[in-house]
């Protein structure tokens, strides 16, 4: 009976897709004799690269990474779902798109976001100006579907066919917006497991889309975000796996921001058991993502479209499980939270490539628009196209040397009842009163990758103007904050560069960095409005 229900559901979905696509695409312009490339973006949720997140994805690595290019220095503009996803869609840093956290009040999918940014996202430009047919399936922004944001009836501009998950990641018992109409799902694996539903709807789109236009697909999986519900066939995998015991696992971050210093070391046995269990569950959910990737690649190959299709695979942020004795989260400035996987295959990309060049998720939109033939200079995007990097047409000497990472911390205005001694201002607290966030966990970083430097410089927006600096080449696990020992001139240059990036917009975000030969530092040009920061910084370093 279940299979009959499943077949009926699939037929209904396909009928809906056929009708929708015909309505949206029958008036589309002809692509002409030259067929522009198709583009697929697969976006995972909370997938790290620093602590083994790619290990379960053997088929993905083979079908995308081995067939194209893998970026080892890919970073996010902010290590939290909604600000990061907003950066992907807009090509802008958070200080320009103004999404600061996962709440409506933080501008996540709010009416203000819809009014100011949605019409200028790269999918909207692809559809309006490049005449692509566009398909979205999965998690969009954390507050999507909220009644105060237009409910599931709201379909963001730019999408020919829309399957948006209401609110945050789930695997069962969720609601989808299918072109603005609610479609509720229960808890039956064969027809409701979200990763598989997204895979099947994507295959349906490929089957029934117009053949006269190029297409863009964005498939946004729930995995490996909590609640970490694996498909039934994968629930017994990795039973002996534990979170990696890297050098920064379960150690005290003694020279770091107070929020890191407050973590209890060693962690309690219950916290270690909990994070090990979560680590296994996260990996199990990824096996279905691996299946999804395989299905999409094989279908494109069968249809004869694979050779003219770019496929991007990445994540909205990283994750940590026990690093610096923080049990689990993703809101910190360290490599495990801000570095993400990025693999791309497609026309003119040679296989088995690895690039160390610095890219960020603000670059995804410009790159995809560049592939589609749209002039990125017509946009207000802060990122830049890395298509020339993928095609081997740009070397490290002419590529950027730094990017900006920014995060605005959140804290409750009342004390956590379970942890009254901590007082107000903290959030995401575990049972043993280790908190993962606070209102003054607000920071901005310059992440630099150049031939002569692999450096991270961060400042906190707090009374201390606390600074953290890491030489990532010598100290890949970021155990030693060298802010007090690094050369004073470098410190001032990095402070200057950070302030430039924090106030940048569009083209000014792509100016030369400190380790670029074109960079010119004149202390007289320091921002007067930030002079107090530099004086406090100098005092702290003495």
């Amino acid at each position: 009976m279940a299979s009959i229900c499943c077949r009926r559901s699939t037929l209904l979905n396909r009928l809906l897709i056929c009708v929708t696509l015909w309505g949206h695409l029958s008036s589309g312009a002809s692509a002409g004799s030259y067929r522009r490339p198709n583009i697929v973006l697969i976006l995972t949720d909370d997938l790290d690269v620093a602590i083994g997140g790619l290990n379960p994805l053997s088929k993905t690595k083979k079908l995308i990474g081995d067939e194209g290019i893998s970026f080892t220095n890919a970073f996010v503009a902010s290590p939290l779902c909604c600000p990061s996803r907003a950066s992907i869609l807009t090509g802008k840093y958070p200080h320009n798109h103004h999404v600061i956290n996962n709440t409506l009040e933080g501008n996540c999918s709010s009416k203000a976001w819809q009014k100011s940014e949605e019409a200028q996202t790269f999918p909207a430009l692809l559809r309006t100006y490049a005449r692509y047919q566009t398909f979205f399936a999965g998690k969009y922004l954390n507050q999507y579907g909220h009644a105060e944001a237009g409910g599931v009836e709201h379909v963001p501009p730019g999408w020919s066919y829309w399957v948006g998950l209401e609110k945050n990641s789930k695997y069962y018992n969720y609601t989808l917006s299918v072109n603005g109409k609610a479609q509720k799902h229960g808890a039956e694996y064969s027809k409701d497991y979200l990763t598989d539903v997204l895979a099947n709807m994507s295959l349906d789109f490929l089957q029934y889309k117009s053949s006269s236009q190029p297409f863009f697909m964005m498939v946004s999986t729930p995995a490996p975000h909590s609640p970490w519900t694996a498909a039934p066939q994968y629930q017994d995998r990795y039973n002996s796996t534990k979170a990696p015991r890297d050098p920064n696992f379960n150690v005290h971050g003694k020279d770091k921001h107070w929020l890191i210093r407050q973590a209890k070391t060693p962690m309690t046995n219950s916290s270690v058991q909990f994070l090990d269990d979560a680590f296994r569950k996260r990996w199990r959910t990824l096996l279905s993502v691996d299946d999804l990737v395989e299905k999409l690649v094989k279908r494109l190959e069968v249809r004869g479209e694979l050779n003219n299709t770019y496929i991007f695979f990445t994540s909205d942020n990283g994750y940590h499980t026990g690093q610096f004795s923080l049990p689990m989260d993703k809101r910190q400035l360290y490599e495990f939270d801000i570095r993400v996987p990025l693999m791309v295959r497609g026309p003119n990309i040679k296989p088995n490539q690895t690039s160390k060049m610095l890219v960020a998720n603000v670059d995804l939109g410009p790159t995809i628009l560049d592939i589609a033939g749209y002039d990125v200079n017509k946009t207000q995007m802060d990122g830049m196209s890395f298509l020339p990097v993928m095609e081997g047409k740009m070397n490290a000497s002419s590529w950027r040397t730094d990017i900006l990472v920014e995060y605005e911390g959140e804290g409750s205005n009342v004390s956590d009842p379970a942890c009254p001694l901590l007082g107000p201002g903290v959030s995401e607290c575990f049972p043993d009163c280790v908190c993962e966030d606070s209102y003054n966990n607000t920071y901005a970083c310059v992440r630099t990758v150049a031939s002569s430097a692999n450096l991270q410089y961060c400042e906190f927006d707090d009374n201390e103007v606390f600074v953290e600096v890491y030489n990532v080449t010598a100290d890949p696990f970021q155990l030693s904050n060298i802010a007090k020992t690094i050369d004073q001139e470098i410190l001032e240059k990095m402070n200057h560069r950070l302030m430039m990036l924090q106030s940048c917009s569009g083209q000014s975000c792509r100016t030369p960095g400190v380790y670029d030969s074109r960079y010119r530092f004149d202390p007289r040009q320091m921002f007067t409005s930030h002079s107090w920061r530099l004086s406090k910084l100098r005092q702290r370093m003495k």
Side-chain angles (χ1 to χ4, degrees):
M1 186 67 177
S3 61
I4 294 173
C5 292
C6 187
R7 285 198 297 272
R8 286 176 178 167
S9 175
T10 302
L11 286 171
L12 287 171
N13 283 336
R14 287 178 174 172
L15 180 61
L16 181 56
I17 288 174
C18 290
V19 171
T20 304
L21 288 176
W22 179 258
H24 280 301
L25 304 174
S26 58
S27 61
S30 170
S33 57
Y34 166 69
R35 183 59 184 268
R36 286 165 294 165
N38 307 307
I39 308 162
V40 177
L41 171 59
I42 301 167
L43 179 65
T44 53
D45 196 350
D46 288 0
L47 177 61
D48 65 273
V49 71
I51 59 171
L54 285 177
N55 288 16
L57 295 163
S58 58
K59 291 183 279 193
T60 300
K61 288 185 288 185
K62 178 181 178 182
L63 294 170
I64 302 179
D66 292 352
E67 293 297 323
I69 187 168
S70 297
F71 290 90
T72 58
N73 287 308
F75 294 90
V76 296
S78 187
L80 187 64
C81 297
C82 206
S84 178
R85 289 164 182 266
S87 286
I88 291 171
L89 290 164
T90 62
K92 295 179 180 180
Y93 287 121
H95 69 263
N96 286 327
H97 62 57
H98 307 296
V99 177
I100 60 173
N101 57 43
N102 291 342
T103 68
L104 273 179
E105 295 74 20
N107 206 26
C108 181
S109 204
S110 67
K111 289 285 189 180
W113 151 267
Q114 293 170 19
K115 184 177 180 180
S116 64
E117 300 295 339
E118 272 193 341
Q120 299 303 314
T121 61
F122 80 83
L125 298 176
L126 274 181
R127 187 182 179 200
T128 303
Y129 298 106
R131 306 301 292 171
Y132 271 64
Q133 51 192 317
T134 56
F135 169 87
F136 181 89
K139 176 179 171 178
Y140 178 58
L141 301 174
N142 297 57
Q143 297 300 326
Y144 172 76
H146 194 290
E148 294 180 26
V152 295
E153 294 77 23
H154 171 68
V155 177
W159 300 103
S160 313
Y161 185 65
W162 172 259
V163 183
L165 174 68
E166 182 187 36
K167 298 187 180 176
N168 207 357
S169 282
K170 286 187 174 183
Y171 297 81
Y172 293 111
N173 299 308
Y174 54 85
T175 299
L176 295 175
S177 168
V178 181
N179 299 316
K181 294 183 179 179
Q183 183 184 96
K184 293 187 179 296
H185 283 259
E188 187 176 331
Y189 170 71
S190 62
K191 60 181 179 179
D192 297 315
Y193 189 68
L194 182 56
T195 307
D196 291 352
V197 168
L198 300 180
N200 292 333
M201 287 185 160
S202 300
L203 296 177
D204 285 345
F205 170 77
L206 291 176
Q207 183 70 27
Y208 294 106
K209 65 178 175 58
S210 167
S211 59
S212 64
Q213 289 175 279
F215 65 84
F216 168 69
M217 294 177 63
M218 183 170 176
V219 186
S220 183
T221 73
H225 196 285
S226 61
W228 314 307
T229 310
Q233 66 269 30
Y234 297 134
Q235 287 177 355
D236 293 326
R237 301 287 284 274
Y238 307 120
N239 282 336
S240 61
T241 299
K242 293 182 178 181
R245 268 52 172 174
D246 290 332
N248 55 11
F249 179 84
N250 203 9
V251 299
H252 187 234
K254 58 183 182 299
D255 55 5
K256 294 171 170 46
H257 190 238
W258 77 268
L259 185 66
I260 309 301
R261 299 197 303 267
Q262 59 86 39
K264 293 178 173 64
T265 305
M267 291 183 287
T268 61
N269 289 338
S270 59
S271 284
V272 173
Q273 290 172 4
F274 183 71
L275 68 87
D276 277 338
D277 185 51
F279 190 89
R280 286 188 286 272
K281 289 178 177 177
R282 282 165 50 80
W283 273 22
R284 291 168 186 153
T285 66
L286 288 169
L287 294 173
S288 294
V289 176
D290 215 27
D291 293 339
L292 178 152
V293 170
E294 181 183 44
K295 290 173 184 175
L296 286 179
V297 171
K298 286 189 172 180
R299 180 62 59 87
L300 287 166
E301 187 172 28
V302 167
R303 292 181 57 83
E305 295 176 312
L306 183 59
N307 290 339
N308 196 38
T309 301
Y310 288 87
I311 305 177
F312 293 72
F313 181 91
T314 191
S315 175
D316 59 358
N317 47 255
Y319 206 71
H320 61 259
T321 52
Q323 283 66 40
F324 301 125
S325 298
L326 296 170
M328 288 189 310
D329 200 49
K330 64 284 186 90
R331 291 167 169 82
Q332 308 308 327
L333 57 86
Y334 307 104
E335 295 286 282
F336 40 76
D337 286 355
I338 66 172
R339 187 191 290 266
V340 292
L342 176 60
M343 299 179 282
V344 192
R345 67 171 290 171
N348 303 317
I349 300 178
K350 294 179 181 178
N352 294 306
Q353 288 190 78
T354 299
S355 174
K356 295 181 180 179
M357 287 206 257
L358 181 64
V359 296
N361 62 353
V362 293
D363 301 328
L364 288 169
T367 302
I368 290 170
L369 290 174
D370 193 10
I371 289 170
Y374 185 80
D375 184 359
V376 181
N377 291 324
K378 292 181 179 179
T379 74
Q380 297 299 311
M381 292 181 175
D382 304 330
M384 54 198 294
S385 170
F386 53 84
L387 179 60
V389 174
M390 297 194 292
E391 293 182 337
K393 297 177 179 177
M394 182 166 298
N395 57 40
S397 63
S398 53
W399 187 246
R400 66 133 80 87
T401 61
D402 59 31
I403 53 107
L404 175 68
V405 179
E406 40 191 1
Y407 177 71
E408 186 160 331
E410 295 179 80
S412 173
N413 57 8
V414 296
S415 297
D416 188 325
C419 307
L421 294 179
L422 294 174
V426 294
S427 62
E428 306 295 324
C429 298
F430 277 75
D432 49 359
C433 295
V434 174
C435 300
E436 295 275 3
D437 205 5
S438 67
Y439 74 92
N440 66 353
N441 182 39
T442 297
Y443 57 81
C445 304
V446 180
R447 185 65 178 88
T448 296
V449 177
S451 58
S452 59
N454 187 2
L455 194 70
Q456 184 179 23
Y457 173 93
C458 301
E459 286 183 18
F460 282 84
D461 185 10
D462 58 11
N463 292 333
E464 292 182 279
V465 192
F466 195 85
V467 175
E468 296 189 30
V469 183
Y470 298 96
N471 179 343
V472 184
T473 298
D475 181 20
F477 296 100
Q478 296 170 295
L479 299 171
S480 300
N481 178 8
I482 59 172
K484 292 185 178 181
T485 58
I486 196 170
D487 184 88
Q488 183 75 27
E489 184 181 356
I490 294 176
L491 205 64
E492 291 190 7
K493 285 182 177 180
M494 297 304 291
N495 171 269
H496 177 243
R497 181 59 179 157
L498 179 61
M499 289 187 287
M500 290 177 66
L501 285 173
Q502 282 187 279
S503 60
C504 78
S505 178
Q507 179 63 38
S508 64
C509 297
R510 304 190 286 274
T511 54
V514 171
Y515 285 88
D516 188 310
S517 60
R518 297 166 294 176
Y519 176 77
R520 296 291 179 266
F521 173 58
D522 183 351
R524 294 171 298 179
Q525 294 178 349
M526 296 295 288
F527 294 82
T528 54
S529 62
H530 290 81
S531 59
W532 67 272
R533 291 170 62 181
L534 187 58
S535 62
K536 273 211 166 189
L537 185 65
R538 284 173 173 155
Q539 290 171 14
R540 282 201 72 246
M541 297 305 118
K542 288 179 180 177

